[in-house]
Amino acid sequence: MNFGCDYYPEHWPEERWTKDIQMMAEAGFNVVRLAEFAWSKLEPEEGQYDFDWLDRAIKILAENRIRIILGTPTATPPAWLARQYPTIFRVDEKGIRSSFGGRRGYCPNSSIYRDYSQRIVLELAKHYKNNENVIGWQIDNEFGGLCYCKSCLKEFRKWLKEKYSTLEQLNKEWGTIFWSQTYTDWDEIPLPRQLDTAHNPSLLLDYRRFISDSYISYQKLQIDILRKSYPHKFITHNFMGLFNGIDYYKLAEPLDFVAWDNYPNLKSMEENKSLANENIVKVSLSHDLMRGLKRQNFWVMEEESGPPGWEYVEPTPPPGRIRLWTYQAIAHGADGILYFRWRTSRFGTEQFWHGILDQAGVTTRRYEEIRKVGQELQSVGSKLIGLEFPQEVAILTSYDEQWAFGIQPNNPQFNYQEHFASYYRILNRWNIPVDVVSIRADLSKYKLVIAPALFLINDELVENLKEFVKKDGTLIITFRSGVKNWNNVVLEEPLPGKLNDLLGIEVVEYDSLPSQQKCKLKLIYPEIEPLSGECNIWCDIIKCGGAEVIGRYAQSYYKGEACVTINRFGQGCAIYIGTNPSPEIKESILKWATEKSGVRSSFPADSKDLEVVLRRKEGKNCLFFLNHSGEDNHVKLDSAYVELLENRKYAKGSIMTIEPKGVKILWET
Ligand code: GAL
């Protein structure tokens, strides 16, 4: 297992390095990330490079058998560069330019910034070319941020020209006849800066795509340099879980693997049970999303290891929590974990963002906990690397859909990520392993696919879904699907547009509900236990073509009309949920859909706080039991296993206790 921390030797006197690094080695660390914010120390003056200090740190690390991931330092331009070229900074929606003092303030389209970034990366690449202790690279740090500067404007117009070829085509696709917005010259097209009214939704969506592509092409500049010098070393970037400012599928494509930064929100986690549960599920969902970006295992490049905080200090991870997060990550597909950060800084913006050690630099409770994990991983870590995930259920997502809903949520209570999570949460609670994958992914391996709110639709997507259903797949699609084409223009066909024949329905009318308003509904399908409940946010009023009715509204002027349907298509079936039912109703539908499609739970435990994740390796099952609660959990084992952490055998039928915040890893014998 790749196990370590994010280390900033430049923040500490050199005399201290050896002690720090020895302590890291004692904790079982075998990898650290270095230098991702160290530009001013690596190039103190333009063209004057100083890598000696980094070489010395790397040498001591290597002597302690700790390998290095080097971060390219481009998230924090040095002051001399900022002073010379203030235009490298981003401009906000109101036209105000950012300036030196923070981080990540640069514009990805600034040709000056691109040029200077390439130079420092090239120097690093040349210098570390033959250094065997550097095993890979992290490009920049957590890409993201919108910009409305002149360079972006120029590049946006170029991007549009490439996409639409002619202005005539752009005018047609965007519907610029509306409000007299027809363009007669490419130079008339604006960036969507702040106005009194909203911009054209097609322009807004293309702008989001353009910004995303800008970071992707900025990343490529660096990748191209590093690949040339380092064809045999890995390149990654640290992603941000549920952040949706960039199309992460595209950003991940040229990388060897995805790494991400996991900062679970501990606020109220210990006191408020339901909030705590939400947070835990959010972490699992983020891991699954990250694994789905390349459909391969990932790393956690920054794992919370102390109380976070800039101006305020947030709760401290209580005993056992860091260990539990570590195994939760491994269970969901992490092949590497690095804790952020080694030692809490004495100065700078993040002086209260605590790491493993406090500023005092002595052993902490958190260090001891991590050292224990290090010991465990030294004995079982190699078994836990490269685990495979069973592929029975997928939930589909796309950044285009998220951006389109960001521009027009349709209903003030509708939040795409929350809608998505409401289905994930149920499956997670039943310990059903879920792949979160792109809407373009090959679905042939899955039994059940959930496609929440496919607002934008195109033929390729419809074909992918039809292929899946035809071959005995069970598909669930939810409301606000099939509404628009890929340019964010509403389709002419009756809803759900291109999905009509797959779903065998027509949405003849809809009702967007005011906040707090609920509508009653009933599940009436013979295969599902009859159940009355409620829904909110949105009500599609459905006329069935070939589909059968699963649920009907029991209130309002559409009382008796269909709201949930099922349509046989080829050998499979497509279910449409035309509203946002309460969790109980969703559970009922999902329970039936999972049973019907033969989807299995990793382990049918009935405790909300016990997460069980099934993985596989070399044909053997491996079960992670993660007790997120403060109480013991007991389970009866369905087969004989060896528990890896205690190296203890459990016979079939025996009762295993998982202590509060405890972890058990069972290996099939
Ligand atoms: C991450 C970032 C780190 C550090 C941490 C705590 O997002 O990558 O450099 O800033 O947050 O704020």
Side-chain angles (χ1 to χ4, degrees):
M1 184 61 58
N2 301 289
F3 189 62
C5 68
D6 305 300
Y7 178 38
Y8 302 88
E10 67 275 24
H11 296 179
W12 302 97
E14 209 164 322
E15 308 83 79
R16 169 73 195 201
W17 293 358
T18 304
K19 178 163 187 213
D20 277 329
I21 293 167
Q22 278 167 357
M23 282 175 84
M24 290 179 202
E26 273 163 37
F29 289 178
N30 52 36
V31 59
V32 297
R33 182 194 63 187
L34 298 178
E36 84 281 10
F37 297 122
W39 195 341
S40 69
K41 199 159 165 71
L42 295 168
E43 190 182 359
E45 279 174 58
E46 181 166 357
Q48 302 295 311
Y49 300 99
D50 175 9
F51 300 147
D52 290 352
W53 65 273
L54 190 54
D55 293 346
R56 292 195 296 275
I58 290 176
K59 186 165 173 278
I60 308 172
L61 286 159
E63 282 162 6
N64 286 274
R65 297 215 210 137
I66 299 177
R67 299 155 308 151
I68 286 88
I69 297 169
L70 277 184
T72 67
T74 47
T76 45
W80 56 259
L81 177 55
R83 178 172 170 214
Q84 223 177 317
Y85 301 106
T87 58
I88 61 169
F89 290 106
R90 290 204 302 265
V91 168
D92 73 7
E93 248 192 320
K94 291 186 182 145
I96 298 168
R97 193 180 290 281
S98 181
S99 53
F100 186 75
R103 70 167 174 187
R104 286 231 54 75
Y106 70 82
C107 164
N109 286 311
S110 154
S111 53
I112 295 168
Y113 200 66
R114 287 180 160 232
D115 188 34
Y116 277 90
S117 303
Q118 279 174 299
R119 288 193 217 171
I120 181 73
V121 173
L122 189 63
E123 287 304 318
L124 280 164
K126 279 199 304 211
H127 188 84
Y128 289 104
K129 198 173 163 139
N130 298 318
N131 191 321
E132 283 175 5
N133 302 308
V134 176
I135 55 165
W137 292 87
Q138 171 189 297
I139 308 270
D140 203 286
N141 191 79
E142 296 186 337
F143 283 128
L146 300 174
C147 181
Y148 301 82
C149 74
K150 275 193 192 146
S151 308
C152 284
L153 180 61
K154 195 170 132 226
E155 291 303 316
F156 183 45
R157 289 171 180 161
K158 234 166 76 195
W159 187 95
L160 291 170
K161 229 185 238 176
E162 249 165 57
K163 178 171 175 186
Y164 295 104
S165 301
T166 65
L167 258 190
E168 199 188 352
Q169 188 66 16
L170 177 142
N171 281 317
K172 192 171 136 227
E173 293 292 339
W174 284 11
T176 53
I177 188 64
F178 192 81
W179 282 356
S180 193
Q181 286 169 353
T182 305
Y183 298 108
T184 57
D185 192 300
W186 291 98
D187 286 344
E188 292 161 3
I189 301 173
L191 284 171
R193 281 208 181 161
Q194 203 176 59
L195 298 175
D196 292 341
T197 54
H199 279 275
N200 177 317
S202 302
L203 179 148
L204 286 169
L205 181 56
D206 272 342
Y207 170 71
R208 296 306 300 264
R209 290 173 173 146
F210 157 74
I211 286 291
S212 173
D213 281 358
S214 303
Y215 283 104
I216 291 162
S217 88
Y218 176 75
Q219 177 181 253
K220 184 171 181 303
L221 286 181
Q222 300 199 19
I223 293 180
D224 287 349
I225 294 170
L226 296 172
R227 285 262 183 253
K228 247 196 223 153
S229 313
Y230 284 88
H232 52 295
K233 299 200 178 179
F234 67 72
I235 301 178
T236 187
H237 170 71
N238 53 340
F239 291 64
M240 290 186 279
L242 299 178
F243 171 77
N244 64 10
I246 297 180
D247 186 330
Y248 271 177
Y249 292 105
K250 278 184 163 179
L251 189 71
E253 242 167 62
L255 299 172
D256 293 293
F257 58 82
V258 165
W260 83 283
D261 299 343
N262 182 25
Y263 294 99
N265 183 356
L266 261 174
K267 275 186 208 152
S268 316
M269 208 162 191
E270 298 311 302
E271 297 81 41
N272 182 329
K273 266 199 136 192
S274 72
L275 236 186
N277 195 267
E278 297 262 310
N279 277 325
I280 290 154
V281 174
K282 222 168 91 189
V283 173
S284 295
L285 169 58
S286 305
H287 285 312
D288 288 347
L289 177 72
M290 296 296 101
R291 195 185 64 248
L293 294 179
K294 286 182 82 73
R295 303 180 90 183
Q296 74 184 42
N297 286 0
F298 57 91
W299 286 33
V300 177
M301 195 59 93
E302 298 179 13
E303 176 66 71
E304 183 170 327
S305 66
W310 283 12
E311 287 75 30
Y312 303 105
V313 180
E314 307 221 350
T316 302
R321 181 64 77 188
I322 299 172
R323 177 172 178 264
L324 188 54
W325 281 332
T326 306
Y327 286 108
Q328 187 182 17
I330 296 172
H332 284 270
D335 282 347
I337 312 259
L338 282 76
Y339 300 97
F340 185 88
R341 52 192 292 151
W342 167 245
R343 182 171 170 188
T344 316
S345 178
R346 292 180 46 230
F347 36 69
T349 309
E350 295 194 352
Q351 60 195 161
F352 292 126
W353 197 287
H354 295 73
I356 301 170
L357 302 191
D358 295 327
Q359 290 88 346
V362 294
T363 304
T364 57
R365 170 182 65 74
R366 305 189 300 278
Y367 173 79
E368 288 307 329
E369 183 169 326
I370 288 169
R371 198 158 74 95
K372 179 178 173 210
V373 180
Q375 279 164 1
E376 289 169 346
L377 290 178
Q378 263 165 5
S379 70
V380 301
S382 58
K383 274 206 144 171
L384 300 181
I385 206 158
L387 295 172
E388 296 149 26
F389 217 74
Q391 297 179 318
E392 293 196 338
V393 185
I395 307 192
L396 309 187
T397 187
S398 117
Y399 291 90
D400 293 283
E401 306 282 359
Q402 297 194 44
W403 294 331
F405 276 122
I407 295 163
Q408 295 163 315
N410 283 256
N411 180 295
Q413 293 177 91
F414 182 77
N415 173 302
Y416 175 89
Q417 286 197 347
E418 172 46 36
H419 181 63
F420 186 95
S422 71
Y423 287 91
Y424 178 90
R425 203 173 288 134
I426 295 169
L427 296 168
N428 178 272
R429 222 188 66 218
W430 294 341
N431 297 316
I432 292 181
V434 174
D435 270 356
V436 177
V437 294
S438 154
I439 48 173
R440 291 183 189 85
D442 170 12
L443 305 175
S444 56
K445 295 196 179 85
Y446 299 106
K447 293 179 176 169
L448 173 68
V449 168
I450 303 177
L454 298 173
F455 198 37
L456 308 177
I457 204 87
N458 61 27
D459 293 335
E460 181 201 347
L461 173 53
V462 175
E463 265 324 293
N464 199 21
L465 297 175
K466 282 187 177 169
E467 267 313 294
F468 166 71
V469 179
K470 252 190 228 162
K471 298 183 182 142
D472 200 21
T474 301
L475 173 70
I476 297 179
I477 293 186
T478 68
F479 64 97
R480 298 316 277 148
S481 286
V483 178
K484 292 186 163 199
N485 70 15
W486 222 249
N487 286 325
N488 219 3
V489 166
V490 176
L491 289 161
E492 269 188 271
E493 298 104 344
L495 286 173
K498 291 175 184 290
L499 296 163
N500 283 358
D501 61 330
L502 173 61
L503 293 167
I505 56 162
E506 196 178 307
V507 174
V508 289
E509 202 176 338
Y510 48 68
D511 192 14
S512 174
L513 301 185
S515 75
Q516 314 302 334
Q517 190 170 317
K518 295 199 166 143
C519 179
K520 294 201 165 78
L521 60 78
K522 267 187 195 158
L523 297 182
I524 49 129
Y525 195 57
E527 292 178 19
I528 308 181
E529 200 81 357
L531 186 66
S532 295
E534 286 177 333
C535 54
N536 65 359
I537 302 180
W538 194 269
C539 294
D540 275 340
I541 300 157
I542 302 170
K543 285 277 169 278
C544 290
E548 293 168 70
V549 179
I550 291 181
R552 292 190 191 281
Y553 295 109
Q555 201 182 350
S556 183
Y557 69 90
Y558 33 87
K559 181 175 176 181
E561 300 285 357
C563 55
V564 185
T565 58
I566 178 170
N567 191 42
R568 317 270 149 201
F569 190 86
Q571 288 168 305
C573 63
I575 296 156
Y576 183 72
I577 306 180
T579 183
N580 186 48
S582 62
E584 300 74 46
I585 298 278
K586 277 184 189 151
E587 275 173 25
S588 191
I589 299 168
L590 280 187
K591 184 162 182 289
W592 160 74
T594 47
E595 280 168 13
K596 180 180 150 35
S597 51
V599 165
R600 287 155 301 172
S601 161
S602 298
F603 192 91
D606 50 11
S607 158
K608 224 179 166 181
D609 302 312
L610 183 65
E611 186 180 7
V612 190
V613 186
L614 173 66
R615 310 293 310 270
R616 263 190 208 118
K617 193 169 172 183
E618 290 150 11
K620 296 258 183 205
N621 281 345
C622 170
L623 280 166
F624 286 78
F625 288 77
L626 308 160
N627 184 359
H628 295 289
S629 80
E631 282 134 44
D632 278 348
N633 252 298
H634 309 280
V635 292
K636 187 168 176 194
L637 299 179
D638 56 340
S639 158
Y641 292 99
V642 173
E643 202 288 323
L644 293 187
L645 299 174
E646 295 171 310
N647 193 17
R648 171 175 166 188
K649 283 188 183 151
Y650 282 93
K652 182 176 175 179
S654 54
I655 305 284
M656 178 176 75
T657 301
I658 310 109
E659 68 282 9
K661 309 220 168 47
V663 177
K664 299 272 185 245
I665 307 174
L666 298 186
W667 203 267
E668 205 178 36
T669 56

